[in-house]
Amino acid sequence: MSQRSIRPRRLRNSPAMRRLVAETRLHPADLVLPMFVREGISEPVAIGSMPGVVHHSLDSLKGAIAAAAEAGIGGVMLFGVPLEKDAIGSGATDPDGILNLATRVAVQEAGGALVVQTDLCLDEFTDHGHCGVLDDTGRVDNDATLERYRDMALVQAASGSEMLGLSGMMDGQTAVVREALEGAGFVDTAILAYAAKYASAYYGPFREAVNSSLVGDRRAYQMDSANRREGSLEVELDIIEGADVVMVKPAGSYLDVLADVAATSTVPVWAYQVSGEYAMIEAAAANGWIDRERAIDESVLAIKRAGADVVLTYWALELAERLRRS
């Protein structure tokens, strides 16, 4: 066979051909929409650093959940933004705290059409902005924090959350939450472990979204960006401890870690396209520097191609609607 007869371009000649031979496909059910619900507001409030993303009121959340269900996406991940904070994040375990109220509203509105998930972390609720309880030296106390996570898990499960998103990166958090859920009879509540979560600069806009009070940084418990193998270790530990799904976060800058995890994980692997990834594309598109829709599609497809079964993205609704039209 001559070299001239080997022509890969034959399979790129038309949109129909490219669609036929595509190795990776997106479906609305592959997408989860992160949503912010803020206490003390009566209508949606725009988040300046995340164009198109809003703080929802409990009332506006209903319509947003209905729209997400109609679009056919896989689920929503809820984050609560409280009015009051304290050192231990008391609002996180208050059954009538904003996140738990929002969970009950979302579950009722969804009616089983999508999976209602909740963020299980203290950073939105603590006045120091860290993901756990601080000791006398100002360091996050791992084991004291686990006790708070245990209580959060039970309240969130009782509020109807189908999947708890453990995002605090405390050692042993999955085992503690799994034990608590089993002991209280919540045997069907799933755990999404943010297993390989890196201390990233790309979380910046999220700080505004949750009205963060962070002092310092989270490098003592979130992973070092230089480390690849450690991501696989964290995932292995979470699976052993009882995680039903594992997460890599952020997504776009850690596709190597995501591919490693996808190649070895025995449970579903998800990835979170975080606020900074979203904001960069929106900003570049607003300046006319890139084709917005193509950049969105390409960025999410790359995460799926690297091995993610599901992608958390702020474009979930827009993407789902575009996929349904295609």
Side-chain angles (χ1 to χ4, degrees), residues 16-73:
M17 180 65 79
R18 292 192 293 273
R19 184 173 64 247
L20 178 64
V21 300
E23 298 176 23
T24 306
R25 302 180 193 277
L26 281 173
H27 186 277
D30 300 334
L31 306 172
V32 169
L33 177 65
M35 304 177 74
F36 304 99
V37 188
R38 179 172 154 190
E39 188 175 14
I41 60 174
S42 58
E43 59 186 19
V45 176
I47 299 171
S49 57
M50 299 177 68
V53 181
V54 301
H55 286 131
H56 282 289
S57 66
L58 286 172
D59 190 53
S60 70
L61 176 65
K62 297 176 184 177
I65 293 293
E70 176 65 23
I73 67 172

Side-chain angles (χ1 to χ4, degrees), residues 27 66 81 85 100 111 121 131 133 139 176 211 242 247 257 274 300 308 316:
H27 186 277
V81 185
K85 304 179 183 183
N100 299 313
C121 193
C131 298
V133 180
R139 180 182 173 85
V176 163
N211 191 26
M247 177 94 86
V257 178
V274 300
V300 178

Side-chain angles (χ1 to χ4, degrees), residues 202-275:
Y202 292 104
Y203 301 147
F206 183 88
R207 305 279 193 259
E208 177 187 352
V210 297
N211 191 26
S212 176
S213 306
L214 182 64
V215 177
D217 60 50
R218 296 175 178 150
R219 295 182 184 184
Y221 46 99
Q222 294 179 355
M223 291 178 59
D224 189 330
S225 299
N227 294 353
R228 178 174 177 172
R229 290 190 301 270
E230 188 182 12
S232 296
L233 170 62
E234 288 279 9
V235 166
E236 181 182 1
L237 291 172
D238 277 313
I239 293 173
I240 290 170
E241 291 179 15
D244 299 287
V245 181
V246 291
M247 177 94 86
V248 175
K249 180 183 179 181
S253 294
Y254 296 88
L255 295 182
D256 55 338
V257 178
L258 175 58
D260 290 345
V261 171
T264 60
S265 176
T266 55
V267 302
V269 177
W270 295 7
Y272 197 144
Q273 186 178 45
V274 300
S275 60

Side-chain angles (χ1 to χ4, degrees), residues 73-127:
I73 67 172
V76 294
M77 175 65 76
L78 301 180
F79 296 87
V81 185
L83 283 173
E84 302 292 333
K85 304 179 183 183
D86 60 27
I88 64 169
S90 299
T93 49
D94 179 354
D96 292 320
I98 185 61
L99 179 55
N100 299 313
L101 285 174
T103 302
R104 296 198 288 274
V105 168
V107 169
Q108 182 174 359
E109 191 64 41
L114 49 73
V115 177
V116 175
Q117 305 155 50
T118 46
D119 180 58
L120 197 158
C121 193
L122 288 171
D123 60 322
E124 299 102 305
F125 299 94
T126 54
D127 54 14

